[in-house]
């Protein structure tokens, strides 16, 4: 790939001219609320700085920025590897340029290793998710010969900029040029996706390379604009809808109960055990992600409360997820969840979660069919990333029958300390009970995974439900720690 | 202060009862959009964890969280010291508990040092600003005797939690108990503000301490609710309005010009010099904050563009500031600027800035008189914090006369590449020209400081203005670096 001939199509243009053309498209992109991600990779000392300067020079500073990724800090390493990049995705109307990126990390991993494959998969999922969300993703790699790289370094040193611009890696690459070239070649080939192909820029002449980059960006923005317009006219790509025929919720035995005495006899010990296990997870640096879903008034929050009762509130955070805010809506729907991931050793409990995509957003039509159907691939990928990073991922679904729900709604309305829990919306959702059950059944069937299992909880009897949540957490946490020990050996 | 007798007023209540009372007030706070900040400090191994647990146990997880501050990382130290705490202020309707805080840092500084005084001032400004913004600020310090602390440590070790909970500092404090007690005493006295007094909790009995904390919080939330209701009824505290009688804008000689030849002859060299200086600032780890204000169409963005032309776009970020977003409006007005500060060595250029508070927000009535008048104290404090951290702070005000503005508005409307720069709002603002000039004059007179000077730029002639901006930046950056060298010696 590095050998690829980059035609000098734009020689006759001035950089400024091309910049102005790009800025015009930038304003259209802004109007149409298209996010744009430009990834700029390449050799060290290949002139990336000047290329960036030429790319952005005519853009409205209000709608672009440059995000520089340094090698990951210890703090950043305490999260799944793609987290910093998810946190940094461009919002709608915004052009963001990554100076270095996940590719910097990828190219520094050994090519044939589990870590390499995982990161590669994470990158593919990331770029695909952004592409599917109508982000324009453009990737550049600035290639230089060994000689040009050396000359660039010497020029920087002559100018007195050694301290700022010439780092250990620059020298290292130049010394082992062939080895790095091979590594880049391999990495570029492996990540040259049809939805986000690489564009090689020849760093021999930085001005020409800048023009080439501008020309490519102009083309790609036009393509992105057309895609978005087609989408707005309803022309989304159709997807085949998979429909299972199992009905896990109907199979639940909701008559299960636990007496008050049995409940009282077990509760405190189980809570102590759960808290102990959370501390063990903390000491083992295992992050925990717990999802609680269920029909309204099923008792999700009550179960969460009992589960975390004795845990250290500094290590456990409950995220009550409701409709995305106006700001959150300006990003890919997974963005707000990446922002809420626990760091290693801590626990995030989600009262409602990313599964809203295939439940409320599906039933109420907030997501188009195309979008929620796609989520069936994206959500397990997301959870696999957490698991691969070492997380314990458990998903609870608490179920009650329709009569029980009615009783609880009425109780809530009559209790001034609980009234805030019941809204008009809950009554509206209740009217769509069957639609929700259909969506939930499908969700439970299609997103159950060994690495992120659904645990169905019979919720008509609150005592029974709370004890079941505690017991299954304890059991799963123990198993996770044990499996981990096995691996460490 | 540590000796202070903490009465056991709430002994007869159960923790849960008090928790439920607090939760009720929490829901009122949520409705009234009051932010609540609880600062929990104290000795290590004093039982803070359990007190936190008791405080939050009945609260709705959707509206509270616990923010744990670890000792500051290197990355965090690359910003003014109060930045992490500003970034973490609670939003409206939200109860946030700081487990450790800036006080942890303060108590670890030497009592009599410039660093101590600066941080103390930063803390006072912070708590006062939040208080003035109707945040409820409640500060607790958990006191334990040497013996209790030792016993707590031993109990944690017995339980097998040494690794998680007993750190070097715990032992250190216990070993030098008297010295630490003196230091805490001094720090508590020095920061016992009337708007945010300390409440000492006796850690001898953690349950009693928790009840005491809950009781105090219930009182403080009630006070906060009353304050907010009075505010909503228009009962803001009045402030005396200072009105100067100088008119700096009228004194400007807007006829100054620079010929095209003179401009071309100087521009490139000056841009190179400016870029060189930016690199020098980077190498010296000096952050730079540039503010650009001015009437509409004065040429702010054009001047910025020329100034940063040759600078490395990875080190310089332009922030175009417009009306705060819905999310930003849920925080203190300075929050969005703390989030945009440059790290050490980098540059943030603000095209419009925090001065909107005393210009557009004043003239259009978005801020009440009380609020913008208060900003006259807060804005210089904010800039002093930047300066004290080592920043170069320069504020440019670009001025044109009313006729020139009209010409530029019309030009913009006729040029498809510039049309986006002109909106209805610009025409509306133009109709309030005199009101704006009055506000601007006052601002220039009252917020000019040696450490953050206003540089007035005659803008009728764009060439003249751009060269003046470049020259003054170069001159001030050189002076700043020189003064710094002097200090380092």
């Amino acid at each position: 790939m590095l050998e690829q001939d980059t035609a000098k199509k734009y020689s006759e243009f001035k950089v400024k001219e091309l910049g102005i053309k790009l800025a015009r498209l930038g304003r259209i992109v802004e109007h149409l609320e298209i996010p744009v991600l430009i990834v700029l990779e390449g050799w060290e000392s290949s002139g990336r700085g000047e290329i960036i300067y030429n790319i952005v020079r005519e853009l409205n500073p209000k709608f672009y920025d440059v995000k520089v990724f340094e090698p990951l800090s210890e703090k950043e390493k305490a999260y799944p590897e793609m987290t910093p990049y998810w946190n940094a995705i461009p919002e709608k109307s915004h052009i963001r340029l990554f100076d270095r990126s996940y590719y910097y990390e990828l190219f520094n991993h050994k090519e044939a290793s589990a870590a390499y494959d995982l990161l590669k998969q994470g990158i593919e999922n990331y770029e695909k998710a952004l592409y599917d969300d109508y982000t324009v993703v453009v990737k550049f790699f600035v290639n230089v010969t060994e000689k040009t790289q050396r000359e660039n370094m010497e020029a920087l040193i002559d100018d007195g900029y050694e301290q700022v611009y010439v780092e250990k890696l620059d020298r290292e690459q130049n010394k082992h040029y062939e080895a790095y070239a091979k590594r880049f070649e391999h990495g570029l080939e492996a990540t040259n996706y049809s939805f986000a192909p690489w564009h090689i820029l020849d760093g021999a002449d930085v001005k020409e390379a800048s023009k080439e980059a501008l020309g490519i960006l102009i083309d790609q923005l036009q393509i992105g604009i057309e895609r978005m317009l087609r989408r707005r006219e309803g022309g989304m790509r159709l997807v085949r809808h998979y429909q299972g025929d199992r009905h896990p919720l109907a199979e639940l035995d909701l008559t299960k109960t636990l007496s008050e005495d049995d409940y009282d006899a077990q509760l405190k010990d189980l809570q102590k055990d759960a808290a102990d296990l959370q501390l063990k997870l903390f000491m083992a640096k295992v992050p925990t992600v717990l999802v609680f879903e269920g029909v309204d008034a099923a008792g999700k929050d009550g179960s969460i409360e009992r589960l975390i009762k004795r845990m250290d509130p500094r290590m456990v955070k409950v995220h009550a997820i409701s409709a995305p805010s106006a700001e959150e809506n300006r990003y890919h729907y997974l963005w707000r969840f990446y922002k809420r991931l626990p760091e290693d050793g801590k626990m995030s409990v989600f009262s409602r979660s990313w599964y809203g995509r295939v439940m409320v957003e599906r039933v109420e039509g907030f997501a188009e069919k195309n979008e929620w159907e796609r989520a069936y691939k994206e959500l397990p990928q997301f959870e696999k990333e957490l698991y691969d990073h070492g997380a314990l991922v458990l998903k609870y679904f608490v179920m009650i029958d329709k009569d029980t729900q009615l009783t609880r709604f009425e109780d809530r309305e009559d209790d001034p300390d609980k009234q805030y829990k019941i809204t008009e919306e809950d009554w509206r959702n209740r009217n769509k009970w069957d639609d929700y059950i259909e969506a939930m059944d499908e969700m439970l069937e299609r997103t159950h995974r060994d690495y992120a299992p659904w645990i169905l909880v019979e919720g008509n009897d609150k005592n029974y439900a709370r004890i079941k949540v505690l017991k299954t957490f304890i059991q799963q946490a123990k198993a996770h720690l044990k499996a981990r020990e096995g691996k460490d050996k």
Side-chain angles (χ1 to χ4, degrees), chain A:
Chain A
M1 271 197 84
L2 289 175
E3 304 299 310
Q4 149 188 330
D5 195 27
T6 58
K8 305 274 176 296
K9 284 198 221 109
Y10 296 95
S11 294
E12 295 304 312
F13 290 89
K14 285 188 178 159
V15 171
K16 184 172 179 148
E17 269 179 284
L18 294 168
I20 289 174
K21 285 176 200 294
L22 183 66
R24 268 182 215 137
L25 289 166
R27 292 194 292 274
I28 298 175
V29 152
E30 181 206 322
H31 274 289
L32 293 176
E33 305 209 313
I34 300 170
V36 179
L37 175 62
I38 305 170
V39 175
L40 192 65
E41 284 288 343
W43 294 84
E44 298 300 299
S45 290
S46 60
R48 292 201 318 276
E50 199 169 331
I51 295 174
I52 293 176
Y53 159 72
N54 284 326
I55 288 175
V56 303
R57 55 181 281 175
E58 304 297 335
L59 296 177
N60 183 351
K62 194 163 173 173
F63 292 105
Y64 86 82
D65 66 359
V66 178
K67 168 87 184 152
V68 184
F69 285 99
E70 316 278 349
L72 295 183
S73 68
E74 283 311 305
K75 191 85 185 165
E76 285 172 319
K77 284 183 190 160
Y79 294 89
E81 203 166 2
M82 290 301 290
T83 310
Y85 313 107
W86 270 102
N87 288 339
I89 60 173
E91 68 175 310
K92 288 175 182 170
S93 300
H94 198 83
I95 299 175
R96 173 158 291 160
L97 195 147
F98 282 1
D99 179 31
R100 286 187 186 156
S101 65
Y102 32 80
Y103 286 112
Y104 180 80
E105 302 290 328
L106 185 76
F107 296 159
N108 281 300
H109 276 296
K110 282 224 179 61
E111 286 163 37
S113 68
Y116 186 93
D117 291 340
L118 280 179
L119 179 55
K120 189 168 100 60
Q121 189 59 54
I123 291 172
E124 183 173 348
N125 295 347
Y126 177 87
E127 294 185 352
K128 182 67 163 65
L130 296 190
Y131 171 82
D132 282 337
D133 202 39
Y134 293 83
T135 303
V136 176
V137 181
V138 189
K139 306 191 297 195
F140 294 111
F141 186 93
V142 187
N143 190 30
V144 283
T145 60
E146 187 184 347
K147 184 160 165 280
T148 304
Q149 189 184 37
R150 193 172 53 243
E151 285 167 0
N152 285 349
M153 280 164 58
E154 284 162 1
L156 287 166
I157 293 168
D158 282 350
D159 287 350
Y161 298 153
E162 184 174 0
Q163 187 195 336
V164 183
Y165 287 119
V166 184
E167 291 166 355
K168 210 177 130 202
L169 185 59
D170 300 56
R171 293 180 213 280
E172 170 82 8
Q173 283 185 351
N174 201 249
K175 203 170 150 193
H176 306 286
Y177 183 89
E178 284 307 323
Y180 273 94
K182 226 180 113 186
R183 174 177 282 191
F184 292 150
E185 183 75 39
H186 178 272
L188 291 167
E189 292 281 2
T191 57
N192 194 32
Y193 312 117
S194 58
F195 48 84
W198 280 104
H199 302 277
I200 310 294
L201 302 173
D202 181 356
D205 181 336
V206 171
K207 202 176 218 175
E208 283 303 319
S210 303
K211 291 182 191 177
E212 199 65 27
L214 283 162
I216 289 163
L217 282 167
I218 289 167
D219 281 350
Q220 294 299 318
L221 256 52
Q222 282 168 349
I223 291 169
I225 290 165
E226 194 200 332
R227 279 186 80 210
M228 177 59 89
L229 288 174
R230 267 193 289 129
R231 177 205 178 155
R232 292 199 168 190
E233 286 155 11
M236 291 187 99
R237 207 154 40 124
L238 285 181
V239 287
R240 228 186 68 216
H241 179 52
Y242 163 102
Q243 176 71 61
D245 56 357
R246 278 195 54 222
H247 301 284
L249 291 176
E251 292 161 22
L252 280 179
D253 175 8
L254 295 179
T255 65
K256 288 182 180 170
T257 56
L258 190 73
S259 75
E260 204 67 38
D261 283 349
D262 284 349
Y263 178 73
D264 289 341
Q266 299 178 63
L267 184 67
K268 291 210 165 157
D269 285 344
L270 289 173
Q271 286 178 333
K272 182 79 179 60
D273 287 353
D276 259 358
L277 275 161
Q278 202 285 312
L279 268 180
K280 287 211 178 77
L281 291 164
F282 180 80
M283 290 192 264
K285 291 196 168 27
V286 173
T288 305
V289 174
L290 301 185
V291 167
F292 281 79
E293 294 284 356
V295 298
D296 290 328
K300 294 182 294 294
D301 291 333
S303 291
I304 294 172
E305 199 186 316
R306 270 62 179 195
L307 173 64
I308 67 171
K309 198 88 194 171
R310 301 300 313 173
M311 294 179 189
D312 187 328
R314 293 170 291 193
M315 296 183 186
V316 178
K317 186 149 175 166
V318 179
H319 298 276
I321 302 298
S322 47
S325 70
E327 197 215 352
E328 289 168 339
N329 259 331
R330 298 189 59 76
Y331 293 88
H332 190 278
Y333 75 97
L334 284 176
W335 179 76
R336 62 179 179 142
F337 301 109
Y338 273 99
K339 285 211 336 185
R340 289 170 168 86
L341 292 182
E343 66 178 308
D344 288 353
K346 300 205 172 176
M347 180 188 277
S348 288
V349 184
F350 292 88
S351 175
R352 302 199 185 281
S353 69
W354 39 95
Y355 282 101
R357 192 74 169 175
V358 294
M359 292 195 297
V360 57
E361 292 187 36
R362 164 184 176 170
V363 174
E364 306 296 338
F366 301 142
E368 292 175 61
K369 181 167 177 183
N370 178 300
E371 291 172 321
W372 60 257
E373 179 60 39
R374 198 164 62 226
Y376 274 117
K377 215 173 82 186
E378 293 161 343
L379 301 182
Q381 279 174 353
F382 171 58
E383 291 166 2
K384 180 130 195 312
E385 257 183 66
L386 308 183
Y387 173 81
D388 285 334
H389 178 69
L392 168 62
V393 183
L394 298 176
K395 303 179 296 197
Y396 287 95
F397 192 96
V398 192
M399 184 63 191
I400 51 175
D401 60 39
K402 216 174 162 182
D403 291 344
T404 306
Q405 187 186 54
L406 184 62
T407 316
R408 292 197 186 166
F409 276 14
E410 286 167 352
D411 286 352
R412 284 181 177 186
E413 292 202 322
D414 289 345
D415 181 345
D417 275 337
K418 287 189 177 163
Q419 232 173 28
Y420 75 95
K421 287 187 178 183
I422 178 104
T423 64
E424 278 288 321
E425 208 186 313
D426 295 318
W427 288 105
R428 275 199 303 273
N429 291 349
R430 185 173 158 80
N431 288 333
K432 297 189 185 165
W433 178 274
D434 292 340
D435 293 340
Y436 272 99
I437 296 298
E438 189 189 333
M440 287 163 173
D441 268 337
E442 186 175 339
M443 171 188 84
L444 293 169
E445 206 186 332
R446 293 179 68 187
T447 61
H448 180 79
R449 295 289 188 281
D450 284 345
Y451 54 79
W454 278 109
I455 299 168
L456 272 55
V457 180
E458 300 82 351
N460 273 8
D461 181 77
K462 284 183 183 178
N463 290 346
Y464 179 85
R466 289 165 185 177
I467 296 294
K468 178 163 182 180
V469 167
L470 272 158
K471 282 188 175 168
T472 48
F473 169 76
I474 290 165
Q475 173 199 332
Q476 296 274 348
K478 277 186 187 162
H480 192 81
L481 282 166
K482 205 168 163 197
R484 212 172 172 282
E485 270 170 35
K487 260 190 218 163
D488 287 351
K489 271 171 201 160

